[in-house]
Amino acid sequence: MKRPFHIISLCDVSRTQRSALLILFPALLFVLQAFPALAGQNNPEHTATTELLREEPEAQVAGAVSRNDIAVISSRQMDYLTDITVEDVIRRLPGVQVNRSGRPNLHGIGEDRFLVTLDGRRMATTGLGDRSVALSLLSADLIRDVEVIRFNTPDMDADALAGTINLSTRRNAATGRELRIIAGGGGNTRYLQQMSPEARFAVRYADAPRDDLSFAITLSHDVDRRGYESLSLGYGAHDFGNGTVDVYERISPALHMDERSTTAGLLHLTYNPSDITRFQVRGLFSKGRQDRIRHTNSWNANGDWLSPQATGEQGAQGHYGYSAMLNDPEILQHNVTFEGSHLLDRLVIRYNAGWAHGQTRQYRDEMVFELAGLDFEIHSHDTDRPSMLPVNIPLQEDETIDSRRIRFQYMDRVYDDHIDNTFSAGLDLELPVGPLALQAGTHARSTNKEGDFSDTRYTYLRQLTLDQFHKTRHGNFDVLDEYFIPSFVDPYSARSFYTGSRPTFMVDERRHFYRSGIRNYTASEQVYAGYGMAGLQTGPFHIMAGVRVEHTEGTYDGRLVFFDDIGSYVSSADTSVSHGYTNLFPNAQLEYAPSPSTRVVAAYSRSINRPDFNMLAPYELVHVQNETLSRGNPELDPMTSDNLNLFAEQEIAGRTLVTAGLFYKRISGYIHQTSSVIAGGPNDGWTEFKLANSDDEATIYGVEIGVQEQFRYLPGVLANMGMSANYTWSESDYEIAWRSGDVALPGHSPHAVNAALHYEQGRFSGQVTWHYTSETVHSLSSQQALVIAQPSAGETFIDRHSDGWSDLSVAFRLRISQQFRFWADVSNLLRNEYLVYDYDRDLYPVEIEKWGGIGFRAGLRFDL
């Protein structure tokens, strides 16, 4: 299988070093070069021509399978999935774990610690200060193949700690006229009243008006709405005369609504002026918006205990709170790439240049209301479903508090605007020399990212109560069918009220500069890379070895923020630091293919994860009153992973494909915050907080097994069935200096399963798909504490754990005529209720999430 060529940036050395590299690389190109046989070609003499214009076959059955080191889901397979976004599709691939919110985590190394490319070219980051890409707002209708590349080769970008997710559109250019239109809609059975219907529309037109010219245009518009409910629990400890016992301190039920809309377009143009020359232009435009709304009730005891079942002690009393939050990030993703390929005798020349743009802009507004001076009666009828009922004020008939009593306290507004512009270029040469296949190249990338952040609390100068705000039209709701919320403030109207009444709001200036000042940054980062590979094929063995070098030069700007000895904000100033480093990435592979149906590959590679941009900002927060100094660190080193992979593939009787793989990663250079006491100088005795690379290491190892089967040998209608399944088992050992023994890496799940059963008979086809990710350690405690409910356990680390994620979905397809087909998707067929707990799930459940209802979509597809 042809590996995609990925644009990688070679890092900047000094101007003198850069000139030397540009002179040496043309000579290096003919000495070191990649192994075309790596892509499955057995004759180096013909590799250049065949690979230059080669098309990949469609997969034969639905489901994700591994090919060499790449796991792939094709557009034909995606047609039988209920997934709308690229993020949804990724979870179907082996080695991909999913947290309880549906976000992918490749091999459990951590969310977003993988590289995302479009046709092998890097996508711009859209993360709020980090290096992530928002795949949840990228339509799957734009993508031909979704690929997970487990380990990189020297011609690929090295900052892919967990691997690379490549979104392939490169075969979208047409060989003839094609028109495809998909339209439909749907919703969720539980939240139909709270959220508007969903929508899906996509059109693809492709044509080849001349033998040497072809193009494809894809447009899509998706509206995806998801809702869930949660219950957060807080615990306290109190001594009522017979020893300390656990008590409920806070109970917070909430309704969450997530409404996503994406409009996107893709243009693919291919021009072949001759049999040995090809030019391609691709452009992607995507504009996504995600309105996240949360309504929360909160009952707080404030330590005002009479008994484990009641509050009301003299002194501070409890309070009730309600908040309405609206967070509406708008994400832009643009990619434009030009590529050229030429065959000169046996030398293949490839070059490319591109621009990628990513921007995330959001306002998060939260309106907070409160009623203080309450005494509560605690009901623990179910250990994970407690409730607090006020007993010292009159309640309404539905046992809720009169909204005229609940006062508006403040509004928190967080503004984020992060922009990434990345320019890249690359040159790759391939040349067979006798028994060797050689490849070498040079790549460059320049990234400019800036973040504008503001966190401000506004207090209204007049008195308002909850009943004076506009309410949503959908009325009340029972969270988890037990916690009744009588009405909801319309967050859009609340935002309009703020913008229209801005002069009557007062700003908490001290809080604003303390929380905002150091989180603004700009980064200019240049990466220059050069690589060389040499491959040899001898009989059934393919051997490849190579090396990649990357040099990074960055200039990072931050803010110096100063607070005086009474805690008042004094001033801010800009700071700037430049830093550079070089990394070497050796790579070796051995492939054994005794027959076309059998393949075994062993590989070693090295990859990195560069620090997030906001960590590299040289910010300083000086607080004289607290005698603290907080700093960023532009000299952070990347995290590094040394990777070993062993992969085997066996095809049986042309209908069964079995794959198995072993992987091992050793990761070092984790970044954490340190604290130390300053000795000497003007800040003697102060506490300094600083980001630094730790000596902590982690290993992750495991097994991936996959199978695809077409049951053609079964009698009757059973012969029309097919199945695919993959299972990943993995283990992680994380060495932390402040804990004895190894612990599991946070976010890592030991088990991940995908299974699909496909059936096709006449006009009908359908597929049942299931995904499961097991429980994980959510976060690690840094200090030991006494487990009050189990005093015999003594002091221990009370880590937080989280349930995994599961989904069962069904897709139906019915061909109405030659051109029209009806489709219907049903998802969330399992009881998706997840628990987060501390130490023991029966003792300290801290959050319960319920993804309720059944999702459904239906529509028509037209093909010409």
Side-chain angles (χ1 to χ4, degrees):
M1 183 172 189
K2 173 71 171 121
R3 285 191 175 87
F5 285 95
H6 289 234
I7 233 188
I8 332 303
S9 317
L10 155 40
C11 289
D12 185 83
V13 259
S14 67
R15 187 181 301 273
T16 303
Q17 291 172 314
R18 193 183 319 163
S19 301
L21 283 173
L22 293 176
I23 295 173
L24 292 174
F25 267 125
L28 179 65
L29 299 177
F30 293 92
V31 178
L32 298 170
Q33 211 174 20
F35 182 25
L38 196 63
Q41 298 299 318
N42 295 324
N43 188 345
E45 298 291 329
H46 300 291
T47 295
T49 305
T50 55
E51 291 292 356
L52 187 62
L53 305 176
R54 179 176 157 190
E55 295 288 338
E56 305 248 21
E58 294 264 20
Q60 296 302 308
V61 297
V65 296
S66 298
R67 289 292 193 185
N68 291 341
D69 61 329
I70 304 177
V72 183
I73 293 182
S74 70
S75 58
R76 182 173 182 269
Q77 296 163 330
M78 283 188 274
D79 186 44
Y80 288 95
L81 298 174
T82 60
D83 305 324
I84 292 292
T85 70
V86 170
E87 182 179 83
D88 296 333
V89 174
I90 291 171
R91 67 179 184 235
R92 311 294 183 180
L93 290 157
V96 177
Q97 303 165 9
V98 179
N99 67 14
R100 66 185 191 280
S101 299
R103 295 195 63 186
N105 185 341
L106 189 54
H107 283 146
I109 295 176
E111 294 175 15
D112 305 318
R113 282 179 172 160
F114 47 78
L115 178 67
V116 180
T117 58
L118 182 71
D119 290 324
R121 313 299 174 215
R122 173 187 293 271
M123 296 189 71
T125 65
T126 54
L128 301 178
D130 59 31
R131 298 178 184 265
S132 63
V133 176
L135 299 176
S136 62
L137 287 176
L138 193 62
S139 173
D141 287 322
L142 299 176
I143 307 303
R144 171 72 179 233
D145 294 335
V146 177
E147 304 169 340
V148 170
I149 304 172
R150 297 182 180 87
F151 57 90
N152 290 358
T153 49
D155 58 325
M156 298 169 60
D157 214 338
D159 55 343
L161 193 77
T164 298
I165 294 178
N166 182 57
L167 312 177
S168 177
T169 70
R170 62 172 65 248
R171 297 188 298 281
N172 275 2
T175 56
R177 181 169 298 174
E178 176 189 347
L179 175 63
R180 174 179 298 172
I181 301 174
I182 300 175
N188 182 286
T189 56
R190 183 168 175 83
Y191 308 111
L192 281 175
Q193 188 176 357
Q194 285 73 34
M195 296 187 291
S196 304
E198 299 181 2
R200 180 187 179 191
F201 175 79
V203 57
R204 180 177 186 270
Y205 178 73
D207 201 358
R210 301 186 335 206
D211 291 341
D212 60 350
L213 181 66
S214 62
F215 68 90
I217 300 174
T218 305
L219 302 174
S220 71
H221 177 72
D222 298 318
V223 180
D224 183 21
R225 307 187 190 278
R226 310 178 188 195
Y228 71 97
E229 302 142 61
S230 68
L231 175 66
S232 297
L233 302 173
Y235 297 90
H238 198 84
D239 188 346
F240 298 98
N242 295 312
T244 304
V245 297
D246 291 314
V247 288
Y248 285 111
E249 188 72 28
R250 176 182 51 83
I251 299 173
S252 299
L255 173 65
H256 308 252
M257 291 175 284
D258 187 349
E259 306 186 4
R260 312 177 190 186
S261 62
T262 303
T263 301
L266 177 69
L267 170 66
H268 187 130
L269 180 66
T270 301
Y271 174 54
N272 294 330
S274 69
D275 292 339
I276 59 173
T277 300
R278 166 180 285 185
F279 300 105
Q280 290 185 319
V281 176
R282 285 187 297 277
L284 168 74
F285 165 81
S286 178
K287 180 179 181 180
R289 180 186 176 95
Q290 183 174 6
D291 285 13
R292 291 180 287 198
I293 300 171
R294 185 189 70 222
H295 300 280
T296 306
N297 275 3
S298 186
W299 312 85
N300 293 272
N302 288 343
D304 184 38
W305 294 99
L306 286 176
S307 72
Q309 287 76 40
T311 70
E313 187 179 41
Q314 293 297 318
Q317 290 178 294
H319 70 267
Y320 164 80
Y322 166 79
S323 66
M325 188 274 290
L326 170 61
N327 185 16
D328 56 352
E330 184 177 86
I331 297 178
L332 300 178
Q333 293 173 304
H334 304 158
N335 284 72
V336 178
T337 303
F338 169 77
E339 297 178 352
S341 302
H342 302 277
L343 175 63
L344 301 178
D345 193 12
R346 295 184 300 170
L347 174 67
V348 176
I349 303 175
R350 304 177 191 270
Y351 49 87
N352 63 80
W355 166 65
H357 172 80
Q359 179 176 6
T360 298
R361 176 180 295 166
Q362 70 174 11
Y363 286 96
R364 183 176 67 82
D365 293 330
E366 184 169 11
M367 310 289 287
V368 178
F369 303 82
E370 189 176 292
L371 174 62
L374 298 181
D375 297 332
F376 295 113
E377 185 178 83
I378 314 299
H379 297 273
S380 302
H381 48 85
D382 189 336
T383 56
D384 63 354
R385 297 288 198 278
S387 61
M388 290 183 177
L389 186 67
V391 294
N392 65 333
I393 61 170
L395 300 178
Q396 301 185 112
E397 291 184 3
D398 56 10
E399 294 189 328
T400 62
I401 300 174
D402 188 340
S403 61
R404 291 173 295 181
R405 289 176 170 266
I406 307 169
R407 294 182 178 180
F408 172 60
Q409 299 297 310
Y410 56 84
M411 187 190 84
D412 283 342
R413 162 161 281 203
V414 176
Y415 171 73
D416 260 311
D417 187 11
H418 296 255
I419 302 173
D420 181 332
N421 284 289
T422 296
F423 299 88
S424 58
L427 171 67
D428 301 271
L429 302 180
E430 301 177 21
L431 180 69
V433 179
L436 293 176
L438 306 177
Q439 180 174 322
T442 178
H443 304 134
R445 179 180 79 244
S446 177
T447 297
N448 296 282
K449 183 155 184 171
E450 58 182 289
D452 184 7
F453 178 84
S454 173
D455 184 346
T456 309
R457 175 163 291 178
Y458 296 92
T459 305
Y460 195 56
L461 297 177
R462 303 170 187 171
Q463 189 176 99
L464 291 172
T465 59
L466 182 60
D467 71 313
Q468 294 175 275
F469 283 78
H470 289 288
K471 306 301 190 295
T472 59
R473 67 179 187 276
H474 53 72
N476 56 48
F477 190 82
D478 265 332
V479 173
L480 301 177
D481 297 320
E482 295 188 32
Y483 299 91
F484 181 67
I485 300 180
S487 62
F488 300 97
V489 169
D490 183 349
Y492 298 100
S493 298
R495 175 178 286 180
S496 297
F497 163 70
Y498 158 75
T499 55
S501 308
R502 175 64 187 86
T504 57
F505 282 86
M506 181 176 64
V507 175
D508 186 340
E509 186 178 79
R510 180 185 303 185
R511 180 183 182 277
H512 167 76
F513 284 105
Y514 187 82
R515 298 173 68 93
S516 305
I518 63 174
R519 297 182 65 177
N520 293 273
Y521 69 91
T522 60
S524 177
E525 198 171 79
Q526 291 75 45
V527 182
Y528 300 89
Y531 75 91
M533 303 191 292
L536 173 67
Q537 180 177 342
T538 171
F541 292 97
H542 296 167
I543 305 169
M544 188 277 292
V547 66
R548 180 182 184 85
V549 60
E550 292 189 355
H551 182 79
T552 304
E553 283 287 344
T555 299
Y556 308 102
D557 300 331
R559 305 296 301 277
L560 170 62
V561 183
F562 187 84
F563 287 79
D564 62 18
D565 56 357
I566 60 172
S568 296
Y569 167 74
V570 177
S571 63
S572 297
D574 294 333
T575 62
S576 181
V577 174
S578 296
H579 179 60
Y581 54 89
T582 303
N583 297 99
L584 195 67
F585 304 96
N587 193 291
Q589 296 182 28
L590 173 63
E591 181 178 338
Y592 174 64
S595 70
S597 60
T598 303
R599 185 183 299 266
V600 179
V601 180
Y604 163 77
S605 62
R606 180 178 294 166
S607 53
I608 61 172
N609 183 81
R610 289 186 171 86
D612 292 338
F613 292 105
N614 53 13
M615 294 179 175
L616 294 166
Y619 65 79
E620 289 190 12
L621 176 62
V622 181
H623 203 295
V624 178
Q625 184 185 46
N626 295 342
E627 295 189 343
T628 58
L629 178 62
S630 300
R631 289 175 170 169
N633 188 355
E635 297 185 358
L636 289 171
D637 292 324
M639 292 172 58
T640 302
S641 177
D642 287 290
N643 316 301
L644 294 174
N645 292 77
L646 178 64
F647 176 82
E649 177 183 83
Q650 178 66 54
E651 184 179 342
I652 304 171
R655 62 173 182 265
T656 304
L657 180 65
V658 179
T659 61
L662 302 174
F663 61 89
Y664 174 89
K665 292 176 176 287
R666 186 165 187 85
I667 304 171
S668 59
Y670 280 92
I671 298 171
H672 66 165
Q673 188 178 69
T674 63
S675 62
S676 59
V677 177
I678 300 173
N683 302 122
D684 182 51
W686 285 31
T687 301
E688 180 186 44
F689 300 95
K690 186 178 181 179
L691 295 167
N693 293 99
S694 72
D695 295 328
D696 302 336
E697 291 188 339
T699 56
I700 297 181
Y701 50 92
V703 180
E704 294 178 8
I705 301 172
V707 61
Q708 285 194 1
E709 176 83 10
Q710 287 291 101
F711 300 114
R712 301 187 185 98
Y713 52 86
L714 295 179
V717 295
L718 297 179
N720 299 318
M721 294 178 60
M723 63 83 67
S724 66
N726 59 71
Y727 166 68
T728 303
W729 170 85
S730 56
E731 186 79 20
S732 64
D733 296 320
Y734 186 26
E735 303 171 4
I736 307 177
W738 39 266
R739 290 181 66 159
S740 60
D742 294 343
V743 295
L745 194 66
H748 170 260
S749 300
H751 308 283
V753 182
N754 288 287
L757 184 64
H758 178 76
Y759 183 81
E760 186 169 355
Q761 173 67 41
R763 294 174 177 265
F764 171 82
S765 60
Q767 179 168 277
V768 179
T769 309
W770 177 61
H771 174 92
Y772 168 74
T773 295
S774 63
E775 182 178 296
T776 181
V777 176
H778 184 274
S779 59
L780 297 172
S781 174
S782 59
Q783 294 182 340
Q784 290 182 310
L786 183 66
V787 181
I788 296 174
Q790 286 187 352
S792 59
E795 289 197 344
T796 185
F797 291 101
I798 304 178
D799 298 330
R800 181 157 293 184
H801 302 259
S802 174
D803 283 347
W805 188 86
S806 61
D807 178 63
L808 179 67
S809 58
V810 180
F812 303 94
R813 307 293 182 258
L814 180 65
R815 182 165 50 84
I816 301 173
S817 66
Q818 192 68 27
Q819 286 80 34
F820 285 94
R821 186 168 58 161
F822 171 78
W823 60 270
D825 298 332
V826 183
S827 60
N828 204 39
L829 291 172
L830 300 175
R831 183 177 179 269
N832 288 328
E833 189 168 297
Y834 307 109
L835 182 68
V836 180
Y837 64 92
D838 288 344
Y839 184 69
D840 186 288
R841 68 185 302 121
D842 295 326
L843 297 178
Y844 299 110
V846 296
E847 186 170 3
I848 302 165
E849 287 187 2
K850 176 182 179 180
W851 295 73
I854 295 175
F856 64 92
R857 303 184 189 96
L860 292 175
R861 170 172 161 173
F862 172 81
D863 290 275
L864 180 64

